Structures are given as C-alpha cells and as structure tokens.
Amino acid sequence: MRDDLQDLVDEVSRLLAAPATLEDRDFTMLAFCAHGEPGGGDPGTTMDAVRARSILGRGSTPEVRRRFEEFGIADATDPLRVPADPAAGILTRLCLPVRASGRLQGYLWLLDGGRTDVGDPAAPGLAEAVALAAEAGRLLAEGRPGTADLSAALRAVLTGTAPGRAVRELTDALGGDRTTVTLVALRPAAAGLPTGWTPPGAGAVTAALPAGTDGVAVAVLLPLSRDADTRPAGALSAAALARLPAGSTAGVATPRRGCLELPAQWHEARTAARVAAVDPRLAPAASWSELGAWRQVAALPGPDPSLARLLTDPVLTGTAEVWLDCAGSPQRAAAQLCIHRQTLYYRLGRIAELTGLDLADGADRLLLHLGVRAARLTSANPVPEPPGRTGDLSSADS
C-alpha cells in the first residue's frame, strides 16, 4: 500500500524534462513535480495560471476543465497535445491519459514547451512515460485495498483503544517499521463533511473521528516514498480541501519512521489544522514544521487572566498583536494599522491600563503576545484578524 505516485510523477518529469502534474479524472491534483526542480526547464515556459492554481490547492475551474475536454482528453487513449491560449495565459501541455483496463482514471500533464512530438512513437522518453501513465492508472484503479480494516486500526491507535495491536496491524500493512509515514488532519468547516466524502490519494488510510473541541474529524495516514518528502501530503491536503466546504483546513505532521509515534503526529497535524483556521497566512493547509511560535501558543490552555478586559476590545487586541509582530516598532505598526502614530501611542496606553502590564518589559510583552494569539486559537469566536493584514495561500503546496 505504499504510495508510489510521487515517485512515478518525478520519473515522468525526468524522462521528458518537464514539470509534471498527476490529476484524477475529476481534475483533482494527486501529485506534482515542483516548479524549478532539476529537469523542470525554463521558468518562463513551465508555469501558467492553470498549473499554479492546481498546486495552490484550488483545483481547475469548470471553464478550464471544459476547455481541456474540448480537445478530447476524456476519450483519448494515446498522448495528445493541448494547444496554448496566449490570451488566457495558458501554455501548451502534453496530456498522457491515465487508464486501467480501458477505464479513465486521470491525466498526467507536462508543460514541455511543445518539444515532444506526440505523433512520433520514438520521441525521447515518450514510450517510457506512457508506460508509467499506465502504472499510475493501475495504482488509482486498485484504490486502497483493506482500507476499512486499516481505518479501524488507525482509529484505535489515535483514540487509545488497543493501540499496541493496531500499531502492529498498520506497521505490517504499510511495509514494516522502516516505512516513513505522516498524518494529515482535515478540519472541515461548520457545514461538515459531504455525504459519502472520502479523501483522494492512493495509499491513504482514513479514520473519521468524533469532532473534538478543535473540530478535526478526519485523520489520513499516508506512507511516503521518501523520508523527508511531504509533497504527497501537500497534494492530498489540497485535493481534499478542494472537495470540502469553504473554510476547511488541513494540517500535516512531521514524517517519522513506522507507526509507533502516530499519537504525537496526530497532535502535530491537529495543531497545524487549528492554526491554519485562525492565521490566514498559513491557510488553508499548514505543516507542523512551519508553525513557529504557534507551537508554544497551542500548548497553552488559553490567554492569561490578566488579559481578560483587553480581549473584549477587538481594536485594542488587534493593535497589540500588530505592534508586537512589528517588534514594538511604532513606525511599522502605525503604517500597517493605517493610523497616526499618536493614535497608536494612545491605544498602547489603554492596553497597559487594561492589563496592568509594563509594555517596556520583555517578559510582559511576551505574556501579551502569547495571550492574544492564544485567544485567537482557543476562543469559540476567534479574535478578528488584526487590521491592515491580508492572508496568502503560499503555504497550500507544503
């Protein structure tokens, strides 16, 4: 049950010297060869809006899907060329249909700049790439044999029910204690999981868990073909979020060998998903390794009681966070908040008055900074994002 899709995509990319993306037949990204890797080609010819959107986790729009299907990709059995559309900023791409027993399973896309002649069976690397597309079809068609039983085992490990036996079952099924695995936590938005929803991606073992205070309801155990390569987890998170209600988030744990540390990985993944829900800069999918100070904040039971009066005022709370994030710089904080510096000084005076803290003292500043972040993370109605900030989606392919 090892997930070999990422290795397969990397090999296709190497053979045809072009970035590759594997999508299922619903245009959900399953794996990709990252832009700029060896063999990736000239950046000016290896990235366009369609590929960028797919990697960032939002999938292809219905318009893009219809455009590509107009060229017969859904019925194709052989490689075909989809032409460029300069007006729409779309580059030409090579499409390798991914089939198993004649049934369409997905598509392998390559931004090769038009170099590969699809009409020439002897084109360098083409035959080998077609064979790998067939292998991808086999993997996707096989799905996840034994998932139901392994899902029960994963649930037992994460809930503490007969964990020893369940760990052995998972370890044996995933290829032994030297297999590298990671956990993905999916935190659906308030609307919950769609009926019959399952996360995409071959090799995933899924357990639906009771939603706790952090709202995480789905755990996905993912074997990795390389020790530190979490791209399959990022691709799975993006594909899952594309099918979940808006506002859903995902978290990815640090990879480890074997299944003995799954409870620790579950804590990491859940924490990352919680943080992604309150910090737009990390949304919609965050990894434990990129949380930084949020790791310490998540360990707190909540903000210090001395901050209770401050936290009832979202303007002052937001001002405190921006000022602290700016390392106490009045110039930078006032500019980010779009207020006059004297207004900032007045607000800081009110913050000191409400909390009793000395804002010139490093320890008091630390307490305040941890507290306003803890309030955002633990409150049923998180403190609004501080004024003057905008989030980005740059971490969605982590």
Side-chain angles (χ1 to χ4, degrees):
M1 280 190 51
R2 289 182 62 89
D3 184 3
D4 292 328
L5 293 177
Q6 186 62 58
D7 275 347
L8 186 149
V9 170
D10 288 342
E11 180 62 12
V12 171
S13 177
R14 185 192 67 79
L15 286 167
L16 298 178
T21 301
L22 175 63
E23 296 179 331
D24 67 13
R25 59 191 175 198
D26 295 321
F27 282 65
T28 298
M29 185 182 69
L30 302 178
F32 69 97
C33 176
H35 179 56
E37 289 189 352
D42 176 9
T45 61
T46 59
M47 179 66 76
D48 63 3
V50 173
R51 177 172 163 81
R53 186 182 298 112
S54 179
I55 291 176
L56 288 175
R58 292 309 178 191
S60 296
T61 64
E63 293 75 17
V64 169
R65 177 173 179 170
R66 283 194 294 270
R67 180 189 185 278
F68 286 169
E69 288 180 340
E70 285 176 357
F71 293 97
I73 63 172
D75 299 319
T77 57
D78 297 315
L80 73 159
R81 171 75 52 193
V82 176
D85 184 349
I90 299 176
L91 299 172
T92 183
R93 50 201 357 98
L94 172 64
C95 177
L96 303 182
V98 174
R99 293 181 172 275
S101 301
R103 295 176 60 88
L104 180 67
Q105 302 295 330
Y107 307 97
L108 261 169
W109 300 100
L110 292 108
L111 286 173
D112 65 344
R115 295 187 304 273
T116 306
D117 181 359
V118 296
D120 179 9
L126 184 58
E128 294 90 339
V130 168
L132 288 171
E135 174 65 9
R138 183 187 67 79
L139 291 172
L140 293 177
E142 284 180 354
R144 300 185 293 271
T147 292
D149 292 339
L150 293 180
S151 178
L154 178 58
R155 186 182 299 106
V157 172
L158 300 184
T159 58
T161 307
R165 181 176 61 189
V167 165
R168 289 193 297 273
E169 183 178 352
L170 288 172
T171 300
D172 292 343
L174 299 180
D177 57 12
R178 295 189 61 80
T179 299
T180 300
V181 301
T182 190
L183 267 175
V184 176
L186 298 173
R187 189 179 190 268
L193 291 168
T195 302
W197 179 91
T198 57
V205 181
T206 310
L209 302 174
T213 56
D214 57 9
V216 173
V218 179
V220 182
L221 175 61
L222 190 66
L224 301 174
S225 53
R226 295 179 187 154
D227 286 357
D229 187 356
T230 59
R231 285 178 298 172
L236 183 142
S237 298
L241 291 173
R243 299 179 181 181
L244 288 175
S248 301
T249 60
V252 180
T254 303
R256 291 176 173 82
R257 292 282 183 91
C259 298
L260 288 175
E261 297 185 66
L262 286 179
Q265 288 177 288
W266 182 227
H267 166 74
E268 294 178 358
R270 289 165 55 209
T271 300
R274 290 175 60 206
V275 171
V278 299
D279 190 339
R281 294 168 297 183
L282 296 173
S287 63
W288 173 259
S289 62
E290 68 183 332
L291 296 187
W294 279 112
R295 293 196 289 265
Q296 284 69 44
V297 173
L300 299 174
D304 191 88
S306 66
L307 305 181
R309 293 174 63 196
L310 169 67
L311 295 174
T312 63
D313 188 325
V315 173
L316 291 181
T317 300
T319 298
E321 187 168 11
V322 169
W323 178 68
L324 291 163
D325 285 348
C326 291
S329 167
Q331 295 90 340
R332 291 168 53 201
Q336 189 165 334
L337 290 165
C338 301
I339 59 175
H340 193 278
R341 202 180 306 174
Q342 287 303 121
T343 302
L344 175 64
Y345 288 137
Y346 169 76
R347 291 183 184 179
L348 292 176
R350 287 286 296 145
I351 291 168
E353 180 183 342
L354 289 173
T355 62
L357 299 176
D358 179 2
L359 299 187
D361 181 83
D364 281 4
R365 287 193 190 194
L366 178 60
L367 185 150
L368 178 60
H369 208 169
L370 291 174
V372 295
R373 286 198 168 191
R376 290 173 60 191
L377 195 59
T378 60
S379 174
N381 298 295
V383 175
E385 180 66 8
R389 282 209 183 140
T390 57
D392 65 68
L393 302 178
S394 59
S395 63
D397 57 333
S398 53

